[in-house]
Amino acid sequence: MNFWWILYTIDIVLFVPVGLTVLYLLIFSITAMFWHRDTPSKAKQNRRFIVLIPAYKSDDIIMDTINSALGQTYTQRNFDIVVVSDHLNEMTNMRLAQMPITLLTPNFVQSSKVKSLQYGILNLPQFKIYDAVVILDAGNVVEPEFLDQVNDAFESAGTKAIQCHRLARNNDSPIARLDAIFEEINNSIFRLGHLAIGLSSSLNSSGMVFDFQWFKQNIMKVRVSVGEDKELESLLVHEGIYIDYFDNIHVYDIKTSKVKDFNDQRGRWTYTQLHSLLNNIRYLPGALMNSHYDHVDKIIQWMLIPRTIMMGIIMVMSIALPFIYLTLAIKWWALAAIVLLAYSFATPDELVDKNWDKDFLRAPLVTLGGLLNIFRAGRDEAGNRLDAFSHLINKFKPKKKWRKK
């Protein structure tokens, strides 16, 4: 087979999906610059909130989260805090038990965030009535006015799901600063940019607020051990529920400082995107026929090349093609320039400081490392399901009694 024919085929097969992904990012990074929301008016009633905090092996950071949640200016009788202590140590649990919160201590065979959320909802007191549930991660810190702002926003939005603005708590390493930049790029493209043209925001793992009854019913439908936010996102858009985003309500999140953790996180996200696509692609024809644009947009998002893979492909093609056929490389160089332009539009001015250039130059090397973790996340998810199934089978398996001969 002709070498040049193979090269041209590989070039066009890679360029088309990568080019469409870059175009999508550019469009929404531009629309994000034109979005502005006025501060929501004061709510007419104080809703009752349950603040649900799943905490897995997070002894060193959980206290910051609890203290910030307890220090709210919101009326104390109108919110409760529930911490699901998954493998926290005894000393941490003793300290938490002395606080005015509800402490739950499950003993999971295979831990996951969604299991903790389900456990927390199933073990709430039956006589308690709530209007909304707020999801925070261990390590998140919120401002004293957080619940007041959430109460105002929830009434103003008039929907069953809102996403708050996650910001970085730390910038103590190049990787943490890079993670913070990528988080803000996501906020611009997948939240502000979408709101600007009337589409739903995406969810972001924590800082999420849901109608309590909706969440109670639907969290039990989530089966994945990673990417529960995308599963909830899918359920919301499938029901035609709009997801609003409020960039003035801040949730401060600890960013990872280690390259391995950063890459593992990107691998899990890539697996989650593929899982979401496979579960929802069958709904695309119906969503198109019924003009469910939110649902169509979410499916298109999951069809796009994951950005870690996208950047890896652009890097490899831009570097390798000049040594083979220079003319083919030009369009890849243009694509690299366009995606960097989109990212620059989406990056807030306050993050462009004296370290920005050096941190951003690390992105290509970090991206290549992230590619190695994509299949690891899928393997771990498959292993978790197999382990859970085996555990279930063993519960009903008759035990053999051995006798000494």
Side-chain angles (χ1 to χ4, degrees):
M1 189 177 288
N2 187 288
F3 169 78
W4 297 109
W5 185 88
I6 295 174
L7 179 64
Y8 293 147
T9 302
I10 293 173
D11 180 67
I12 195 66
V13 166
L14 292 178
F15 185 80
V16 170
V18 171
L20 291 173
T21 301
V22 171
L23 179 62
Y24 184 94
L25 298 178
L26 179 64
I27 290 171
F28 285 105
S29 66
I30 292 173
T31 59
M33 295 190 294
F34 298 98
W35 172 249
H36 173 74
R37 184 201 293 274
D38 295 329
T39 303
S41 57
K42 189 67 178 174
K44 296 178 181 178
Q45 66 178 57
N46 285 342
R47 286 163 179 77
R48 281 193 52 79
F49 292 100
I50 175 74
V51 181
L52 190 53
I53 307 172
Y56 173 71
K57 293 184 178 179
S58 49
D59 303 270
D60 53 337
I61 56 177
I62 186 62
M63 290 302 171
D64 291 340
T65 305
I66 304 303
N67 289 331
S68 73
L70 287 173
Q72 295 296 299
T73 57
Y74 198 67
T75 311
Q76 291 279 331
R77 65 176 180 274
N78 283 334
F79 73 94
D80 294 321
I81 300 170
V82 174
V83 176
V84 183
S85 169
D86 184 7
H87 291 85
L88 298 184
N89 64 43
E90 292 291 333
M91 185 60 69
T92 303
N93 284 336
M94 287 177 62
R95 292 176 63 191
L96 290 173
Q98 296 172 8
M99 293 181 163
I101 64 172
T102 300
L103 178 64
L104 303 175
T105 54
N107 186 22
F108 298 130
V109 175
Q110 291 287 340
S111 297
S112 71
K113 182 177 177 180
V114 70
K115 286 183 180 178
S116 292
L117 294 174
Q118 291 169 344
Y119 189 90
I121 289 295
L122 288 173
N123 288 274
L124 292 177
Q126 294 298 315
F127 62 90
K128 292 278 190 175
I129 299 174
Y130 298 104
D131 298 303
V133 55
V134 179
I135 309 298
L136 296 179
D137 281 343
N140 288 167
V141 168
V142 293
E143 296 165 340
E145 302 81 15
F146 173 72
L147 284 180
D148 283 298
Q149 292 176 315
V150 167
N151 187 53
D152 297 341
F154 206 69
E155 182 170 297
S156 171
T159 187
K160 294 184 178 181
I162 66 173
Q163 173 65 53
C164 303
H165 184 178
R166 286 209 326 183
L167 292 164
R169 279 180 63 186
N170 57 311
N171 60 353
D172 52 353
S173 75
I175 295 300
R177 291 193 293 271
L178 193 61
D179 198 4
I181 291 170
F182 286 172
E183 176 104 65
E184 286 301 321
I185 289 173
N186 287 342
N187 285 333
S188 294
I189 294 174
F190 296 102
R191 297 178 184 95
L192 290 177
H194 278 67
L195 263 61
I197 60 173
L199 294 173
S200 278
S201 160
S202 64
L203 295 176
N204 199 16
S205 183
S206 68
M208 303 179 292
V209 187
F210 301 98
D211 174 84
F212 179 78
Q213 291 302 326
W214 184 92
F215 185 79
K216 183 178 179 180
Q217 294 170 11
N218 286 274
I219 190 60
M220 302 305 164
K221 299 176 183 177
V222 178
R223 293 291 177 263
V224 295
S225 62
V226 293
E228 74 292 329
D229 52 336
K230 298 306 169 194
E231 191 95 358
L232 290 168
E233 200 174 293
S234 174
L235 292 168
L236 285 163
V237 297
H238 188 62
E239 292 184 29
I241 298 173
Y242 184 76
I243 306 169
D244 211 338
Y245 172 68
F246 288 82
D247 61 340
N248 65 313
I249 307 177
H250 297 158
V251 175
Y252 297 93
D253 181 54
I254 294 179
K255 298 304 174 188
T256 181
S257 298
K258 298 179 181 178
V259 175
K260 181 183 181 302
D261 293 340
F262 183 88
N263 287 337
D264 286 344
Q265 185 184 64
R266 266 62 194 172
R268 289 193 300 271
W269 288 354
T270 301
Y271 170 76
T272 298
Q273 181 176 332
L274 178 60
H275 181 274
S276 299
L277 174 60
L278 294 176
N279 279 354
N280 290 275
I281 188 66
R282 65 185 185 273
Y283 299 124
L284 182 58
L288 285 167
M289 291 177 62
N290 294 296
S291 301
H292 291 166
Y293 299 120
D294 264 345
H295 208 174
V296 172
D297 174 65
K298 295 301 178 189
I299 296 172
I300 290 174
Q301 274 186 36
W302 298 324
M303 290 173 66
L304 298 174
I305 300 290
R307 278 156 296 152
T308 302
I309 297 177
M310 178 197 74
M311 293 302 297
I313 292 173
I314 292 175
M315 287 165 47
V316 170
M317 298 301 282
S318 297
I319 294 171
L321 280 179
F323 297 100
I324 303 172
Y325 196 152
L326 180 61
T327 307
L328 291 180
I330 295 174
K331 64 179 179 297
W332 288 99
W333 294 344
L335 211 56
I338 293 170
V339 76
L340 290 176
L341 182 66
Y343 285 165
S344 67
F345 286 158
T347 304
D349 293 342
E350 59 268 20
L351 291 181
V352 183
D353 55 17
K354 62 181 181 180
N355 296 311
W356 189 87
D357 291 339
K358 292 185 293 183
D359 294 338
F360 215 79
L361 287 174
R362 297 172 187 264
L365 297 176
V366 174
T367 296
L368 288 176
L371 292 174
L372 302 177
N373 294 278
I374 292 169
F375 296 106
R376 184 186 304 170
R379 181 196 65 195
D380 293 344
E381 168 69 6
N384 287 344
R385 292 191 176 191
L386 182 60
D387 291 342
F389 180 74
S390 300
H391 177 69
L392 182 63
I393 294 297
N394 289 333
K395 285 177 66 178
F396 298 99
K397 190 176 180 180
K399 295 182 180 179
K400 295 180 180 180
K401 295 183 179 179
W402 298 93
R403 296 180 181 177
K404 287 187 179 181
K405 293 184 178 179

